[in-house]
């Protein structure tokens, strides 16, 4: 999953667009702009403006971190899945998320930053990940709801990135989106089973999970367009293809019908069909909560980061052993 926080981090010092330094650089910039305008893809070895590189690096690394941190809320339920079938599905899904993180770290590395640097930024709290993973998973219904709403929102966000102007990112996203589609369906299927074949208590559990995840899910599309200062530049560069509000609206419109089939209520009394706009109107989103969670004050921020740092430290011996093994093998391979 996830891209939400990607345009919320552009206010750092040193992030201002650098002045062009030479006629040569100006020529290259013009050439680059023309390639973007012509819809061409940019490869890792091509010249690119510094700001384009930094913007992509920030977005792709935050996306990678989100996939890896996103394994935690669901990983928590693997041992408590209700059946062997659901356990196997959840295991496969969480493993997919780990794979997504790895494709994305690899794509970000092509921009010149090492994986160790990116992980260090995550572990020291400098890098962000999607705020959705700072909410707790209280019941088994949360597993289905995350698949349905969180992976569903992720797909809506990520399909346009398959056409991102930076080719290594676009290629990673094609594969990721295929797997996200499975994630969304397994979640919906788990909820449908509980709603149609479950007990009254299980149906109430589904409704409770939907009540808790709905608003954080629609926040995943990021701040409103008029409060998203980096979006225009990202659109200009073909990194972002569709605006936050447009994607959010598409997601809401698609989800309302799915909720009806499922038999749950979306927790927004102002959610209603607008005949004139041919779309749903919705209630006000609590952006103060969004910014608070991004800034580190969500229900699980400390727990999530603590778990990542512990996993990194506990895994040190594996990395050391792998490096020692590679060093031993190097002379053998060179002699062969
Ligand atoms: Fe994913
Ligand atoms: Fe996913």
């Amino acid at each position: 999953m996830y891209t939400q926080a990607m345009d919320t981090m552009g206010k750092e010092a040193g992030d201002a667009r650098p002045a062009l330094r030479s006629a040569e650089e100006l020529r290259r910039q013009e050439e680059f702009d023309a390639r973007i305008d012509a819809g061409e893809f940019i490869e890792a070895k091509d010249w690119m403006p510094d700001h384009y590189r930094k913007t992509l690096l920030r977005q792709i690394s935050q996306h990678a971190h989100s996939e890896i941190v996103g394994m935690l809320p669901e990983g928590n339920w693997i041992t408590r899945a209700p059946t062997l079938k659901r356990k196997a599905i959840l295991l496969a899904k969480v493993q997919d998320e780990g794979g997504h993180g790895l494709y994305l770290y690899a794509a970000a590395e092509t921009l010149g930053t090492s994986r160790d640097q990116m992980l260090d930024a995550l572990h020291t709290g400098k890098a962000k990940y999607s705020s959705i993973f700072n909410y707790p998973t209280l019941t088994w219904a949360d597993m289905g709801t995350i698949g349905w709403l969180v992976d569903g929102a992720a797909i809506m966000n990520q399909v346009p990135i398959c056409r991102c102007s930076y080719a290594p990112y676009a290629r990673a996203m094609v594969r990721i989106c295929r797997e996200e589609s499975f994630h969304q369906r397994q979640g919906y299927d788990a909820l449908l089973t509980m709603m149609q074949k479950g007990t009254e208590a299980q149906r109430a559990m589904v409704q409770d999970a939907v009540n808790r995840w709905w608003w954080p899910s629609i926040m995943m599309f990021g701040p409103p367009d008029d409060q998203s200062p980096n979006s225009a530049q990202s659109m200009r560069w073909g990194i972002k293809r569709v605006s936050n509000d447009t994607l959010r609206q598409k997601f809401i419109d698609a989800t309302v019908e799915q909720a009806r089939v499922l038999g749950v209520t979306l927790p927004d009394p102002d959610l209603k069909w607008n005949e004139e706009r041919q779309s749903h109107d919705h209630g006000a989103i609590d952006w103060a909560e969004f910014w608070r969670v991004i800034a580190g004050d969500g229900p699980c921020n400390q727990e999530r980061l603590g778990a990542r740092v512990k996993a990194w430290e506990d895994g040190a011996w594996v990395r050391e052993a792998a490096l020692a093994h590679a060093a031993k093998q190097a002379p053998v391979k060179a002699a062969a």
Side-chain angles (χ1 to χ4, degrees):
M1 322 164 188
Y2 313 97
T3 56
Q4 152 254 288
M6 309 319 159
D7 54 4
T8 59
M9 289 291 290
K11 297 159 196 155
E12 304 140 15
D15 223 27
R17 198 171 184 175
L20 296 175
R21 285 185 293 274
S22 65
E24 170 63 8
E25 199 163 342
L26 189 61
R27 187 190 61 73
R28 290 179 143 182
Q29 172 84 54
E30 277 170 5
E31 215 173 87
F32 176 87
D33 289 345
R35 290 187 64 192
I36 294 283
D37 290 345
E40 283 183 36
F41 285 102
I42 308 298
E43 292 288 350
K45 287 182 180 162
D46 296 346
W47 185 90
M48 63 188 81
D50 220 34
H51 194 208
Y52 177 82
R53 183 186 298 276
K54 276 188 187 155
T55 301
L56 273 167
L57 193 55
R58 186 175 60 225
Q59 173 163 338
I60 303 173
S61 61
Q62 285 186 7
H63 192 166
H65 298 326
S66 302
E67 300 283 354
I68 298 292
V69 176
M71 298 167 77
L72 296 170
E74 290 174 293
N76 195 30
W77 278 88
I78 290 172
T79 53
R80 290 176 286 167
T83 65
L84 190 56
K85 177 182 148 187
R86 295 289 173 198
K87 187 196 284 262
I89 292 171
L90 187 60
L91 260 174
K93 182 198 190 274
V94 172
Q95 189 176 344
D96 283 354
E97 306 299 7
H100 297 172
L102 298 185
Y103 307 151
L104 290 164
Y105 282 128
E109 280 178 312
T110 64
L111 293 160
T113 297
S114 73
R115 195 170 302 196
D116 281 351
Q117 284 173 299
M118 288 183 266
L119 288 173
D120 185 61
L122 174 67
H123 297 157
T124 54
K126 284 187 208 125
K128 300 291 179 195
Y129 54 86
S130 180
S131 61
I132 193 84
F133 302 117
N134 291 315
Y135 290 86
T137 44
L138 304 180
T139 69
W140 172 252
D142 288 37
M143 296 303 95
T145 309
I146 287 180
W148 175 39
L149 296 180
V150 178
D151 289 274
I155 295 169
M156 207 57 100
N157 252 329
Q158 292 177 0
V159 165
I161 308 176
C162 297
R163 293 181 290 117
C164 166
S165 62
Y166 188 58
Y169 190 23
R171 283 191 289 266
M173 290 316 300
V174 170
R175 184 159 174 187
I176 289 175
C177 283
R178 285 192 192 127
E179 293 179 351
E180 296 300 358
S181 155
F182 154 76
H183 298 171
Q184 197 265 354
R185 285 177 211 188
Q186 66 81 32
Y188 193 75
D189 177 71
L191 295 182
L192 204 57
T193 304
M194 291 173 83
M195 291 303 286
Q196 293 183 345
K197 298 183 189 157
T199 62
E200 203 48 57
Q202 285 171 320
R203 279 191 284 278
M205 202 160 82
V206 173
Q207 183 62 59
D208 173 65
V210 171
N211 291 348
R212 286 181 288 107
W213 288 96
W214 172 249
W215 291 102
S217 297
I218 63 172
M219 289 178 196
M220 282 175 64
F221 296 92
D225 294 345
D226 58 5
Q227 291 165 40
S228 183
N230 299 314
S231 281
Q233 182 61 71
S234 284
M235 300 273 266
R236 165 76 186 82
W237 275 330
I239 294 174
K240 195 178 176 76
R241 298 286 188 188
V242 187
S243 85
N244 295 356
D245 287 335
T246 305
L247 288 170
R248 183 168 16 249
Q249 184 71 62
K250 267 182 85 173
F251 173 73
I252 291 172
D253 288 339
T255 308
V256 166
E257 176 60 15
Q258 293 164 6
R260 194 190 59 75
V261 172
L262 203 52
V264 295
T265 309
L266 296 172
D268 178 359
D270 296 324
L271 188 64
K272 54 179 175 295
W273 178 250
N274 182 323
E275 187 59 34
E276 203 179 309
R277 289 199 309 116
Q278 290 290 299
S279 264
H280 290 85
D281 291 335
H282 61 83
I285 297 171
D286 182 358
W287 291 110
E289 174 182 323
F290 173 78
W291 291 113
R292 199 169 56 240
V293 177
I294 291 254
D297 196 20
C300 300
N301 295 56
Q302 287 186 3
E303 185 185 329
R304 301 291 183 238
L305 204 54
R308 282 314 316 160
V309 171
K310 184 176 184 307
W312 177 253
E313 286 169 356
D314 289 352
W317 70 272
V318 179
R319 295 189 298 278
E320 283 159 20
L323 285 171
H325 180 71
K328 261 193 202 167
Q329 294 297 306
V332 178
K333 273 192 191 142

